Amino acid sequence: MTSPAAIPQSLSRRAHALRGHVLRMAEIVGQGYVGQGLGISDLLAVLYFGELRYDPKQPDWPDRDRFVLSIGHYAIGLYAALAEAGVIPVGELDTYGSDGSRLEMSAPETTPGVEMTGGSLGHGLTQSVGMALGLRLDGKPSRVFNLLSDGECQEGSTWEAAMAGAHHRLGNLFAFIDCNNQQADGPPSAIMGIEPIHKKWEAFGWHTQRVNGNDVEAIAAAIAAAKGIADRPHAIVLDTLMGKGVPLFEQREKNHFIRVAPEEWTLAKRQLEEAGR
Amino acid sequence: MSAPTPAGTPPKGVTGNILSSDTGGAASVAAAPFGHALVRAAEKNPRIVGLTADLGKYTDIHVFAEKFPKQFFQMGMAEQSLVGCAAGLARTGFVPFATTYCVFATRRAYDFIAIGAALGGANIKIVAGLPGLTTGYGGTHQGIEDLALMCAVPNLTVIDPCDATETAQATEAIAAHVGPVYMRLLRGQVPVSLDPSTYRFEIGKARLLADGPDVAIISTGLMTGRALDAVRELAAEGVRASLLHVSTLKPLDREAISSLIGRVSRVVTAENHVVTGGLASAVADVSVQAGRPIQLRRVGIPDCFCESGSIPYLVKRYRMGAPDIAAAARELLK
Ligand SMILES: Cc1ncc(C[n+]2csc(CCOP(=O)(O)OP(=O)(O)O)c2C)c(N)n1
């Protein structure tokens, strides 16, 4: 058994490893969703190495917890977690986004460990509600963890599903909302304001918390607190920093799709190494 | 010979940036033809307004937004609201141009297009990007069946322009036209295949771009650029092909199609869309209705969701290139 104090440290190490995988993939395509992947690594580390029940050798084990990625373009983060967890080979990450690869830029459900084809945003929570209803009906202990984005909170379907989750008292449903303050055309405040987003989830009947999404201890504590409430679905709003862990990307002008010059990768990797020491 | 890689485009063989343009090695390109044409239209008509669902930069409507900020509405990532709101603006006498991708306009907002706009003839213009295989982003982003969906809606005009020249002309034409329109969008750096000094787009009119007795190619959208290449390839082998470009899918220029297939019964259709419910189906329908039997080869996307990947890879994988059109013609001539 690991002592409780050791857990956050090992989670931080995992998050660091995920960031390394993210950079490895991003460098292959030369640009892309590296900001999102780095920003969400802490949540994925907590989930895949502290919370989710799954069998890496049997990704379709019927009693597994479901991790549902609405935001298909965050695939780079999910693949990092799946590789680190042993669901897909680490070496395969080198095919990310390449012709004929199953590690498509937007995650398809044909890839092991991907529960649902996201990417047409606003689908994830609707299917998560269905999965949570189905698992409960079957008397299974499995839970459903859906990752949404701040931009996705603008889709009407998200709120239709939020209403359904609360109405059906889905205590086995957890929604994480990645508020990285960016969407395709700019920051949500300039595109379509969503704040105060935690109050909206609360008003829809969800047990809601808002934490620093780049703090593994805070995320783990929020999940622990959520598990104490059985008769309501759980929303955990995560304030994250795009590019977290690599100052070069943290400081650059925020963009949905970062362009990176070839020579910048060496610096990015060095910065991540230094942050990991 | 390989064209030099423009700065910022990824190396061959990976899914590109969704903002990058694959121009297929075109000799001449124009930037953001839709955005600039919309600005010209709005300079003439102050009732034109623009809307988008978090895809301004990605649909070239940012050009209009920069010029007419007061007439531009960012609706956030909410496509049903986008289309419904456009219909509401039309009901108050404005001429709204609403942009998103083909997939999200047609799949997510179908009911809002059909009932919110088309049923009552609301004067909205939906301009939708990433038609067919113009993105490497797989089934979620490739608008492969949007023409079938849109052509099924009564009252709606449906247009699939082939290049920058036609995109610009069609934008001004639909701005002047009263009634709901769905137009596919080619954005970013867009090839120029048609000569702007001689070509004239007209809603509902197909254009004969080549006249030859051996085989008839009927194409729409960007496939017309490739069909022009196929016509040249065939000519070099002594095959004289006709090429009819059908940019308006609805209302369909049945007369032009009927007249061509009456003269040339070996027909190849080429569309950046699944081969059911789009141009091939329309041509088959004209043939049956007019009692003019044809032999038909369909170039287009097969009945499947497509892979992810680079555009050249996808064009090859799904046999959507100029050589595939020429090969289909040769097959008919065997
Ligand atoms: C239904 C739908 N509409 C539009 C898009 C196009 N799109 C892709 S990502 C994106 C921005 C979404 O916001 P968010 O996930 O918060 O962006 P990020 O944090 O990744 O920058 C948009 C509009 C989409 N994928 N799905």
Side-chain angles (χ1 to χ4, degrees):
Chain A
M1 275 295 290
T2 37
S3 71
I7 290 172
Q9 207 197 355
S10 78
L11 289 179
S12 297
R13 272 205 306 278
R14 292 290 193 175
H16 180 72
L18 297 195
R19 290 190 165 95
H21 296 324
V22 166
L23 286 189
R24 176 178 178 163
M25 281 180 274
E27 189 175 359
I28 295 160
V29 286
Q31 53 189 352
Y33 303 113
V34 58
Q36 290 90 327
L38 293 170
I40 206 62
S41 288
D42 297 299
L43 170 73
L44 293 169
V46 172
L47 288 179
Y48 276 85
F49 302 99
E51 191 58 41
L52 287 176
R53 288 184 298 246
Y54 61 99
D55 177 359
K57 297 286 159 279
Q58 195 193 338
D60 55 356
W61 173 46
D63 287 346
R64 70 191 180 281
D65 287 334
R66 270 49 170 196
F67 175 73
V68 177
L69 185 72
S70 295
I71 33 183
H73 60 289
Y74 278 54
I76 190 167
L78 177 57
Y79 298 151
L82 292 175
E84 183 70 12
V87 179
I88 58 173
V90 172
E92 192 176 348
L93 297 179
D94 291 337
T95 71
Y96 170 71
S98 302
D99 294 343
S101 169
R102 57 182 187 168
L103 304 189
E104 299 182 0
M105 293 274 274
S106 188
E109 63 197 79
T110 42
T111 300
V114 180
E115 297 285 353
M116 183 205 91
T117 301
S120 176
L121 302 175
H123 284 231
L125 193 62
T126 65
Q127 293 212 31
S128 297
V129 165
M131 290 179 197
L133 280 170
L135 292 165
R136 191 175 69 181
L137 196 57
D138 272 342
K140 288 191 192 295
S142 312
R143 302 154 306 162
V144 182
F145 297 84
N146 178 209
L147 175 59
L148 302 95
S149 63
D150 41 8
E152 225 183 347
C153 291
Q154 295 163 352
E155 287 288 353
S157 53
T158 296
W159 298 104
E160 295 170 26
M163 221 180 286
H167 179 80
H168 293 291
R169 301 194 162 277
L170 293 173
N172 58 348
L173 176 60
F174 298 73
F176 297 91
I177 300 97
D178 179 25
C179 288
N180 64 3
N181 200 31
Q182 185 64 33
Q183 56 184 112
D185 273 341
S189 56
I191 303 308
M192 182 58 62
I194 61 167
E195 296 293 352
I197 192 65
H198 54 288
K199 293 202 174 148
K200 293 193 170 90
W201 286 91
E202 217 164 81
F204 270 70
W206 288 55
H207 168 246
T208 304
Q209 302 169 78
R210 185 163 192 158
V211 300
N212 176 355
N214 292 124
D215 178 342
V216 290
E217 284 183 59
I219 300 169
I223 295 172
K227 287 195 291 189
I229 311 253
D231 63 346
R232 277 197 288 162
H234 316 278
I236 300 177
V237 177
L238 304 170
D239 288 304
T240 63
L241 181 62
M242 272 189 128
K244 178 71 186 176
V246 178
L248 175 70
F249 298 147
E250 286 177 8
Q251 283 146 23
R252 115 169 0 190
E253 193 199 342
K254 293 291 175 275
N255 215 319
H256 174 67
F257 201 98
I258 294 184
R259 288 168 194 275
V260 184
E263 65 277 9
E264 287 181 313
W265 291 109
T266 318
L267 175 59
K269 283 184 280 190
R270 182 155 23 92
Q271 288 186 338
L272 182 64
E273 270 327 299
E274 282 162 9
R277 270 194 221 119
Chain B
M1 199 199 89
S2 69
T5 311
T9 53
K12 220 170 138 227
V14 299
T15 301
N17 178 347
I18 213 147
L19 268 180
S20 66
S21 313
D22 184 275
T23 56
S28 167
V29 297
F34 161 67
H36 293 291
L38 188 58
V39 165
R40 284 194 297 278
E43 278 162 354
K44 283 184 238 151
N45 181 358
R47 302 298 285 176
I48 288 178
V49 292
L51 305 89
T52 194
D54 193 22
L55 290 172
K57 284 190 281 198
Y58 298 74
T59 58
D60 288 348
I61 202 168
H62 66 291
V63 178
F64 171 87
E66 280 157 23
K67 197 83 193 237
F68 298 100
K70 280 201 186 130
Q71 285 157 249
F72 177 73
F73 304 103
Q74 173 61 264
M75 298 306 296
M77 190 172 63
E79 294 74 16
Q80 298 180 335
S81 168
L82 170 82
V83 174
C85 177
L89 279 159
R91 287 174 197 275
T92 50
F94 287 94
V95 184
F97 276 72
T99 71
T100 176
Y101 293 154
C102 300
V103 284
F104 307 131
T106 62
R107 294 175 185 163
R108 184 73 54 97
Y110 193 83
D111 192 27
F112 294 74
I113 294 173
I115 304 305
L119 184 143
N123 190 20
I124 75 168
K125 321 296 167 186
I126 296 160
V127 180
L130 305 188
L133 297 183
T134 51
T135 172
Y137 276 67
T140 55
H141 284 64
Q142 294 157 346
I144 60 171
E145 86 296 18
D146 59 322
L147 296 176
L149 288 168
M150 293 296 98
C151 285
V153 179
N155 291 348
L156 197 62
T157 295
V158 181
I159 301 171
D160 188 7
C162 72
D163 76 336
T165 301
E166 190 165 52
T167 298
Q169 293 186 11
T171 300
E172 296 193 67
I174 65 174
H177 169 84
V178 179
V181 176
Y182 175 80
M183 182 170 95
R184 278 180 152 195
L185 170 71
L186 301 173
R187 62 153 297 282
Q189 298 295 320
V190 181
V192 180
S193 320
L194 303 173
D195 181 353
S197 65
T198 54
Y199 184 77
R200 286 295 164 265
F201 169 84
E202 215 181 309
I203 295 173
K205 285 277 177 285
R207 292 282 183 241
L208 197 64
L209 301 179
D211 202 357
D214 300 333
V215 61
I217 301 171
I218 305 179
S219 61
T220 186
L222 61 74
M223 292 304 275
T224 293
R226 296 174 192 166
L228 282 165
D229 289 342
V231 168
R232 280 187 282 271
E233 192 180 320
L234 291 166
E237 299 162 12
V239 175
R240 294 156 305 167
S242 291
L243 173 57
L244 183 68
H245 170 51
V246 182
S247 44
T248 310
L249 277 302
K250 191 176 183 173
L252 189 68
D253 190 344
R254 304 181 78 91
E255 247 174 63
I257 295 170
S258 177
S259 146
L260 175 61
I261 65 176
R263 285 178 279 135
V264 189
S265 65
R266 295 184 178 107
V267 178
V268 176
T269 53
E271 60 199 305
N272 180 28
H273 185 265
V274 288
V275 290
T276 46
L279 180 67
S281 300
V283 168
D285 183 63
V286 171
S287 157
V288 173
Q289 294 281 331
R292 293 183 168 165
I294 56 171
Q295 272 180 283
L296 179 63
R297 290 286 177 280
R298 306 172 302 177
V299 175
I301 300 165
D303 183 20
C304 68
F305 289 103
C306 300
E307 274 180 39
S308 287
S310 61
I311 304 300
Y313 169 78
L314 294 174
V315 168
K316 225 173 162 167
R317 168 94 175 70
Y318 297 101
R319 302 172 169 275
M320 298 276 288
D324 303 302
I325 300 172
R330 274 184 221 111
E331 231 181 84
L332 283 171
L333 293 168
K334 260 192 218 144

